[in-house]
Amino acid sequence: MRHGSEMNFEGRVAVVTGAGAGLGRAHAMALAERGVKVVVNDMGSPGGESTGRSAAARVAAEIRAAGGEAFAHLCDVTDAEAVEEMTGETLARWGRVDILINNAGVLRDKSFAKIGLDHVRQVVDVHLMGSIHCTKAVWPHMVEQGYGRVLMTTSASGLYGNFGQSNYGAAKSGLVGLMNVLAIEGERKGIRVNALAPTAATRMTEGLIDERILGLLTPESIAPGALFLVSEDAPTKTILAAGAGVFAVAQMRESAGVYLPEGDRSPETVAERWAEISDMSTPVVTASAFDQTKRYAAMADTETGAVP
């Protein structure tokens, strides 16, 4: 059953990375069903074998068979030059890029005590640097056309932590920071930037999720949230958690804060007043780092009569 007016994606062009299977495929198919022209990007499976070409080609073929427009482009998102070439091919074919969904990813799970730095670098390179490469490639074109929608794929591991995923959690948390900054920089240019925190049964989570609930955690149950976040009326600087048909907004908040006079700024006083300092009954959502600075300065000014 449909509710309200149907979202209009007419004439839009999207690049979806890691779209040969799982979440990326679900996003690509859902966009194509709404008339979006889709670049299906993929490189390979989490194991590293080169299955991405046939997987991406199959998804693109599915889209075309259903009457949509799509082409597959095989490139590694950690290769900035190759990503630029993908963007160039997209512009040559369709003249614009309206939507970028940064979905490509890998897992290399191991406890922090045992993990090798090579696996840390690999995961950070794919998730964080790969998203930076792709966003950097399309950004000037979105600025020029005065319209753009960028979706980062973060994770509950980056928001809340998860045992054995220090590399993955760090990369996914980094994507939230990237989203926060780009949402501010893109606001006046017609570019909205959001993050999706999905939990789904995909090729990256095989063997990690109880078989009994795999049927609920489908990539297709998440795609509607992704489409909303790249729609014309999308919010910006928003984290949407999604899984099994459940959608929730996650926020970074802080307590109202407590001003300590200069003569009373000791670790002992922080400990004594910790209940007040950590009181989240009236949380504050901060628009930017500078807004936080201004708020702290205003609190100090109120207490002292002069900003320190």
Side-chain angles (χ1 to χ4, degrees):
M1 181 182 295
R2 296 190 183 278
H3 299 277
S5 58
E6 190 165 309
M7 289 182 180
N8 181 18
F9 287 90
E10 184 178 355
R12 299 302 184 195
V13 174
V15 175
V16 183
T17 68
L23 285 167
R25 177 189 175 278
H27 298 337
M29 296 296 293
L31 285 167
E33 287 173 7
R34 298 293 180 124
V36 179
K37 300 173 183 176
V38 182
V39 180
V40 182
N41 163 264
D42 208 346
M43 185 56 197
S45 74
E49 53 267 29
S50 298
T51 59
R53 184 182 299 276
S54 59
R58 283 197 299 271
V59 174
E62 280 186 78
I63 291 172
R64 291 193 297 269
E69 293 186 64
F71 73 90
H73 193 288
L74 181 67
C75 80
D76 186 343
V77 294
T78 66
D79 184 341
E81 185 175 336
V83 169
E84 289 284 355
E85 291 174 1
M86 176 173 66
T87 303
E89 182 177 353
T90 304
L91 293 169
R93 288 192 183 216
W94 293 326
R96 60 188 296 121
V97 180
D98 301 288
I99 296 166
L100 168 64
I101 297 182
N102 287 307
N103 172 75
V106 295
L107 286 176
R108 297 290 183 267
D109 292 357
K110 193 165 286 189
S111 70
F112 190 67
K114 297 179 180 179
I115 197 168
L117 291 180
D118 55 336
H119 280 176
V120 174
R121 291 190 184 96
Q122 183 182 18
V123 169
V124 171
D125 279 349
V126 173
H127 290 274
L128 182 55
M129 290 307 302
S131 296
I132 289 174
H133 292 158
C134 293
T135 307
K136 185 72 172 174
V138 304
W139 193 264
H141 307 289
M142 290 181 172
V143 170
E144 184 178 0
Q145 66 196 19
Y147 183 92
R149 298 291 182 266
V150 178
L151 184 61
M152 308 296 178
T153 304
T154 184
S155 168
S157 296
L159 300 178
Y160 311 118
N162 204 31
F163 186 90
Q165 293 193 318
S166 56
N167 50 358
Y168 183 73
K172 289 305 194 182
S173 185
L175 285 166
V176 173
L178 179 63
M179 173 204 73
N180 285 334
V181 172
L182 295 186
I184 294 169
E185 294 185 5
E187 188 171 11
R188 294 184 179 180
K189 299 174 173 65
I191 304 172
R192 300 180 188 178
V193 187
N194 295 292
L196 182 70
T199 178
T202 70
R203 63 186 181 184
M204 285 207 309
T205 58
E206 289 176 5
L208 300 178
I209 298 174
D210 193 319
E211 290 287 340
R212 294 175 302 166
I213 60 174
L214 285 179
L216 300 175
L217 296 170
T218 65
E220 290 75 19
S221 73
I222 291 166
L227 263 64
F228 169 65
L229 292 179
V230 298
S231 68
E232 187 170 338
D233 296 324
T236 195
K237 204 180 181 187
T238 298
I239 304 168
L240 181 66
V246 177
F247 300 90
V249 168
Q251 291 185 332
M252 200 169 291
R253 306 182 299 168
E254 63 180 78
S255 63
V258 174
Y259 174 77
L260 299 181
E262 187 172 355
D264 210 16
R265 291 174 196 161
S266 68
E268 291 78 13
T269 304
V270 172
E272 288 169 7
R273 303 192 64 180
W274 185 248
E276 297 171 73
I277 292 170
S278 61
D279 180 8
M280 294 296 292
S281 61
T282 56
V284 176
V285 177
T286 305
S288 70
F290 186 59
D291 280 354
Q292 183 199 58
T293 301
K294 289 192 296 183
R295 185 168 70 86
Y296 288 1
M299 291 175 65
D301 188 28
T302 298
E303 295 290 336
T304 65
V307 177

